[in-house]
Amino acid sequence: MKVIPSICPYCGCGCALTFKIKDSEIEVLHNPEDEVSKGKPCVKGLTCAEPIFVERIKNPMIRRSKQAKFKEVSWTEALEFIRKEIEKYSGEEIAITGSGELTNEDNYVIQKFARTVLHTNNIDTTARLCHAPTLYALYQSFGITTSPNFLEDIGECDCVLLVGTNPRSNYPVAFNRLMDAKYKRGAKIISVQTIFNLTSEYSDLAICLKPNTEVALFNCILNYLIEFDLIEEKVKRIENFERLKQTVSSYTLERTSYICGLEKEILQRICEMIGSAEKFGIMHGMGLTQHIFGVENVLSLLNLAIAKNAYLLSLRGKVNIQGAGDMGCFPNLQDFWSKEDINRLQQLWGVELPKRIGKTLTETFISDPVKFYYIIAMDPAKSLPYLNEVHRNLNRMFIVLQHHYTTYTMKFANVLLPSCSLLEKEGTITNAEGRVRYVRRVISPLHSSMQDWKILVSLAQLLEVEKIFPYEEEIDIFEEITEVIPSYRHLRAKEIYSGFDGFTQKAPKFFRFNPVEFRGFEETTDRKFNFMLITARQPYHFCTGEATLRSKTLKKFLDKGFCYLNPFDARDLGILDGDLIELESRAGKLKAQVKIDPRVTQGIVVAPFFDDELLVNKLIPLSFDPHTKTPNYKNVAVRIRKLSKRK
Ligand code: SF4
């Protein structure tokens, strides 16, 4: 029997787990020494080995038209097929994805491949769909792109504000820290959401406000803190303080209670709780970012964080989505890198970077589609908004899909390349708090899978540019990362690869207030579309569900997606638990089965996005945050029509 410590492949907490391997069985156990989980990982982590043997892409496959059947071919034939296709297109016609499911080493090689071999800046990750507004706002407010604080800090707080997040369901280990604060320090938890969720039940004050009115709420709290002189003198000397004071001055309790749909007394209670907190913490998630005002929402939260000297933790989705961005998997390096850092990278690589501005994920798949897409560890046919248009565009593109599992996007692919899952890989990940952790290989690559970076290096050999990738093994790539990536330069590859965690450089470079006004509602209901749809994750399924839907244990908890409705709304519509409904938005329609849930606010319908049979993103319109092109997944007007009774 072998015992190997490695990392959970799921959420941004990035817990360490212990894997016991006997014959072909893998048992996953907690790791009592893990500083992140403190020996208490969640059920998703403890079942993370179950999916990896189920429905894999086993061998490279190609097909010459989208209607043809896939044919198994050798690696050489598949890569040669791709090489010939790549040579037909200019850099502007090509795009490639990095991914939060890959290691730092994979992501680094992908972005290098994009910029030096494909000659394009069209590289992006699913961060575009979730926390791109957080990165943009952190950079404006602190000059960094990682949460400035640590999981541990939350346990030290005496008051924690949760905004647009459900850690009980989606970040169980972060939730444990919250409970440490509550039960060991008597901390007060304030939960601000648009629907009650599993975490609301553990909060001292849980409120539901009108969707996307958070800017008004934060401005109101800031106004209260300034008016009652509840901020430190040094805060008043921070850049833009006077402008902030002026901006928030009109957000009185009366006006804000009207905008947010909250009672004035509740609002005052929130202000008092935050005003009197000595160690104040903030955790926020995608409920704040997936809006057309996503950047402004986060900027206004960061204004509050700066004013209260708060511990701030942005809860990131996938295990290495932080690292994928750190590695440069975003279209324009100049968005987050200095000129000196970009010049240094060009010198070290010995190439000139492509000059044209890169396009984001939402542009390359939807509004300005490319002709050739190299999709790695992503399921865009399920996860992107405005899915009907995405499917039409995918049908027109030449698609290389590199993944370990068969996925929904496979339907649109021309080439399938089998890659390793995280348990079959060596490398590093960077969790949501900027902790860089060593990923040990738990089992050898299954079938003919290859590690993602090795596939690209093999392709580079065919394209006769292999000299740009002089790597024998993963540690060689990490050595280069510590030379190139600005916030990783202080790290030592040997230490990380010996199993010692490191941290990225994430101390704020400055503090700056960025005053923002509440700009109105992003989408409104009318007589036809009289409900608001919010998409949300489920406790037992991770993101688009490729892995967790393959887990026998997790499927016992839930194996199908439902739409969740408030009991009073259901009664008014004559809908019973289990009935079939049609959901229609201005972007599309679909059928869904109903579950009645008293936690859902009246006038709102909640739907998950893990189930192939409930492609809820077909209902999401083409409306984006203008700075980051992050879609609005959280506030979509829909109408509900009952179709039939439950069976
Ligand atoms: S909290 Fe996240 S990283 Fe930790 S075990 Fe659960 S899913 Fe895995």
Side-chain angles (χ1 to χ4, degrees):
M1 185 176 68
K2 280 194 286 185
V3 178
I4 300 176
S6 197
I7 303 296
C8 173
Y10 292 130
C11 88
C13 293
C15 299
L17 299 167
T18 303
F19 296 84
K20 278 191 181 175
I21 304 116
K22 193 173 175 205
D23 304 325
S24 57
E25 297 279 304
I26 305 175
E27 190 184 359
V28 187
L29 301 170
H30 70 292
N31 179 339
E33 283 158 26
D34 179 29
E35 288 177 8
V36 173
S37 66
K38 296 200 166 170
K40 290 183 188 160
C42 74
V43 64
K44 289 195 284 266
L46 291 171
T47 54
C48 71
E50 287 180 16
I52 64 165
F53 301 102
V54 185
E55 291 174 23
R56 296 280 299 245
I57 299 175
K58 293 182 178 163
N59 294 298
M61 289 193 262
I62 61 171
R63 59 179 174 182
R64 297 199 184 266
S65 81
K66 304 256 181 185
Q67 291 72 40
K69 283 202 167 143
F70 279 109
K71 179 179 88 161
E72 278 190 11
V73 293
S74 66
W75 270 106
T76 312
E77 193 177 340
L79 294 178
E80 184 58 27
F81 187 55
I82 298 168
R83 181 192 68 80
K84 283 187 185 149
E85 201 63 29
I86 286 176
E87 288 180 344
K88 293 181 190 166
Y89 303 102
S90 71
E92 296 320 303
E93 294 170 316
I94 293 180
I96 187 167
T97 68
S99 170
E101 296 174 24
L102 304 174
T103 61
N104 286 325
E105 291 74 3
D106 290 327
N107 280 304
Y108 178 78
V109 169
I110 291 169
Q111 74 103 358
K112 192 173 184 183
F113 187 87
R115 295 190 160 105
T116 60
V117 181
L118 301 178
H119 305 292
T120 186
N121 282 314
N122 296 341
I123 171 163
D124 210 354
T125 68
T126 46
R128 186 66 48 198
L129 308 180
C130 51
H131 269 291
T134 302
L135 302 187
Y136 190 91
L138 282 169
Y139 199 67
Q140 298 299 315
S141 301
F142 302 120
I144 52 171
T145 53
T146 313
S147 288
N149 294 97
F150 301 92
L151 269 172
E152 204 58 42
D153 295 332
I154 294 297
E156 301 296 312
C157 293
D158 56 18
C159 179
V160 183
L161 175 68
L162 306 175
V163 186
T165 186
N166 183 4
R168 170 93 176 88
S169 162
N170 303 329
Y171 309 95
V173 158
F175 176 77
N176 292 346
R177 297 301 157 81
L178 198 61
M179 292 301 101
D180 284 349
K182 183 176 170 72
Y183 293 112
K184 293 185 185 158
R185 295 185 53 86
K188 299 286 178 239
I189 314 287
I190 306 169
S191 171
V192 173
Q193 319 291 337
T194 41
I195 49 167
F196 287 106
N197 59 35
L198 286 173
T199 313
S200 309
E201 293 165 20
Y202 295 81
S203 306
D204 297 272
L205 184 57
I207 59 159
C208 284
L209 35 66
K210 285 189 205 160
N212 206 223
T213 57
E214 288 88 349
V215 167
L217 174 70
F218 305 144
N219 281 354
C220 176
I221 300 168
L222 280 161
N223 187 29
Y224 182 94
L225 298 179
I226 294 169
E227 196 181 332
F228 290 93
D229 208 12
L230 295 169
I231 51 175
E232 292 177 25
E233 280 307 306
K234 65 178 183 192
V235 169
K236 297 175 189 168
R237 295 192 290 275
I238 290 174
E239 188 179 345
N240 292 338
F241 176 76
E242 286 305 321
R243 268 185 55 219
L244 178 80
K245 187 175 165 184
Q246 173 69 27
T247 302
V248 301
S249 62
S250 65
Y251 293 83
T252 59
L253 292 173
E254 288 76 13
R255 180 177 172 228
T256 309
S257 70
Y258 176 74
I259 295 173
C260 299
L262 292 174
E263 285 174 26
K264 195 177 132 194
E265 291 68 31
I266 300 276
L267 204 47
Q268 179 151 1
R269 179 88 192 98
I270 297 173
C271 294
E272 286 167 358
M273 285 168 82
I274 294 176
S276 61
E278 284 181 9
K279 285 190 178 170
F280 178 50
I282 295 175
M283 290 161 92
H284 81 97
M286 290 179 273
L288 196 64
T289 58
Q290 291 180 323
H291 293 279
I292 61 169
F293 305 126
V295 168
E296 279 142 349
N297 290 347
V298 186
L299 282 173
S300 64
L301 181 68
L302 299 189
N303 289 337
L304 176 60
I306 295 170
K308 271 300 289 182
N309 196 17
Y311 294 125
L312 175 76
L313 207 56
S314 308
L315 295 170
R316 307 292 308 266
K318 295 188 175 180
V319 63
N320 195 32
I321 197 67
Q322 178 67 45
D326 293 346
M327 293 304 113
C329 290
F330 51 87
N332 298 304
L333 290 175
Q334 57 271 29
D335 284 350
F336 303 122
W337 286 28
S338 68
K339 251 191 186 157
E340 295 72 46
D341 289 332
I342 295 172
N343 287 340
R344 183 187 164 98
L345 176 129
Q346 296 195 111
Q347 274 172 9
L348 283 165
W349 285 359
V351 295
E352 212 176 310
L353 297 177
K355 294 248 176 323
R356 279 183 73 139
I357 300 279
K359 291 186 271 189
T360 62
L361 202 67
T362 35
E363 291 167 304
T364 49
F365 277 115
I366 311 174
S367 56
D368 192 6
V370 292
K371 293 183 178 164
F372 176 107
Y373 223 123
Y374 198 132
I375 301 168
I376 307 180
M378 191 186 287
D379 198 4
K382 246 170 115 177
S383 60
L384 280 155
Y386 209 45
L387 266 191
N388 289 323
E389 180 70 2
V390 171
H391 292 177
R392 276 190 288 276
N393 289 339
L394 286 171
N395 260 327
R396 292 184 201 118
M397 295 171 186
F398 185 94
I399 305 256
V400 177
L401 179 64
Q402 186 167 304
H403 209 294
H404 33 285
Y405 295 130
T406 55
T407 66
Y408 198 85
T409 303
M410 222 172 98
K411 289 183 182 184
F412 304 94
N414 299 75
V415 182
L416 300 176
L417 299 178
S419 59
C420 299
S421 71
L422 200 70
L423 269 53
E424 296 149 61
K425 283 182 177 179
E426 192 89 2
T428 59
I429 60 98
T430 306
N431 81 353
E433 52 177 354
R435 182 187 289 262
V436 184
R437 316 198 90 180
Y438 179 38
V439 176
R440 287 182 180 83
R441 184 171 288 118
V442 174
I443 53 166
S444 303
L446 293 175
H447 313 294
S448 61
S449 305
M450 280 170 70
Q451 186 146 346
D452 292 270
W453 71 266
K454 282 193 176 162
I455 300 173
L456 289 180
V457 172
S458 304
L459 194 51
Q461 277 164 359
L462 280 182
L463 290 156
E464 297 176 359
V465 285
E466 70 272 24
K467 280 194 194 132
I468 304 173
F469 304 94
Y471 319 120
E472 294 286 321
E473 50 191 342
E474 291 76 11
I475 193 167
D476 303 333
I477 306 170
F478 198 83
E479 294 274 11
E480 189 172 310
I481 288 170
T482 60
E483 283 184 69
V484 168
I485 302 297
S487 54
Y488 286 61
R489 284 197 202 127
H490 61 295
L491 297 175
R492 297 285 160 265
K494 277 194 182 135
E495 278 175 26
I496 303 287
Y497 272 70
S498 306
F500 294 103
D501 290 352
F503 282 94
T504 60
Q505 259 167 4
K506 59 178 211 154
K509 293 188 176 140
F510 54 80
F511 294 93
R512 181 192 294 137
F513 288 116
N514 293 281
V516 282
E517 294 276 8
F518 170 67
R519 294 213 279 131
F521 299 96
E522 58 196 332
E523 184 156 332
T524 48
T525 51
D526 57 23
R527 282 171 65 127
K528 181 176 176 189
F529 299 106
N530 55 349
F531 277 81
M532 273 297 174
L533 168 74
I534 294 178
T535 65
R537 280 180 284 169
Q538 293 280 344
Y540 299 109
H541 289 291
F542 187 69
C543 291
T544 35
E546 294 82 52
T548 47
L549 277 171
R550 285 170 163 82
S551 157
K552 277 188 295 193
T553 309
L554 296 177
K555 275 175 76 174
K556 278 187 205 152
F557 291 108
L558 185 72
D559 65 351
K560 170 178 170 42
F562 293 90
C563 280
Y564 296 85
L565 261 186
N566 177 280
F568 293 106
D569 287 335
R571 182 199 60 194
D572 293 348
L573 292 163
I575 291 170
L576 297 174
D577 206 58
D579 280 352
L580 196 64
I581 58 166
E582 182 186 78
L583 275 176
E584 183 184 358
S585 74
R586 294 173 180 113
K589 55 177 144 178
L590 51 79
K591 291 175 186 159
Q593 210 176 350
V594 168
K595 273 228 182 287
I596 295 175
D597 187 337
R599 282 177 302 207
V600 178
T601 315
Q602 270 189 276
I604 285 181
V605 53
V606 181
F609 49 89
F610 68 88
D611 185 359
D612 285 8
E613 302 299 317
L614 180 62
L615 292 179
V616 69
N617 290 334
K618 285 187 173 183
L619 304 178
I620 306 298
L622 195 58
S623 56
F624 306 124
D625 174 275
H627 307 283
T628 58
K629 309 286 189 303
T630 298
N632 160 29
Y633 286 103
K634 299 290 186 196
N635 198 9
V636 176
V638 291
R639 108 171 148 168
I640 298 174
R641 203 158 63 84
K642 180 177 165 178
L643 291 178
S644 66
K645 287 192 190 329
R646 64 188 152 177
K647 288 178 189 145

